[in-house]
Amino acid sequence: MSARLHPVASMDDRRLAALIDSCCLLFAYGGFLMLFGSLGGQFTLSKLNAAVYASTFAIVYLQYFALFTIFGGTTPGMMMRSLEVVSFSGDRHAQANASAQRGLHSFRRNFFFWASFGPFGDEDELTWHDRLSRTHLSAAQTFADIESSSAAHSR
């Protein structure tokens, strides 16, 4: 498995990237709600309105991850933590030629994230959604990059 070629990102880095993405997502959804209110929308508590709020949040969520991962190959949180999606076969999705393939892997990762509900890793620091989507987050460097960097520093 190429997790050996591309080291799995630490849970702390992954959680921090998720926190950054959550803040960006909540900021975007807050902007949507402010626009809704400024255009005359009413905020009331009812079952129907709760369903509407949940549905619109799901749409904003899907757009956020789809647009960033399909067109940029990464989310803002992943960019700030220098993380990228790597398949178990070793393909770096940030550098992949086909954006459709990158989008499919992103969709699978996000779907399985909610199925596993959270980044709780096993002994390999892989989560359920990593294993189910056959991808994982990795630092932007491979072990070969790290070894050549440390060899240059030891000279």
Side-chain angles (χ1 to χ4, degrees), residues 14-103:
R14 296 170 74 167
R15 285 184 184 118
L16 189 53
L19 179 65
I20 293 167
D21 285 331
S22 296
C23 289
C24 292
L25 184 59
L26 290 175
F27 181 77
Y29 188 63
F32 170 78
L33 291 177
M34 286 177 46
L35 179 64
F36 175 74
S38 71
L39 294 175
Q42 299 292 320
F43 296 100
T44 58
L45 294 176
S46 69
K47 288 181 182 180
L48 178 61
N49 284 352
V52 170
Y53 299 146
S55 298
T56 55
F57 181 78
I59 291 169
V60 171
Y61 174 86
L62 290 172
Q63 287 178 335
Y64 177 86
F65 283 100
L67 292 174
F68 278 113
T69 56
I70 289 172
F71 294 115
T74 185
T75 64
M78 290 168 55
M79 282 186 265
M80 293 175 123
R81 300 303 306 157
S82 297
L83 302 176
E84 63 185 353
V85 176
V86 178
S87 73
F88 282 1
S89 65
D91 296 330
R92 286 181 158 170
H93 293 272
Q95 298 172 356
N97 292 332
S99 64
Q101 179 186 10
R102 191 169 55 227

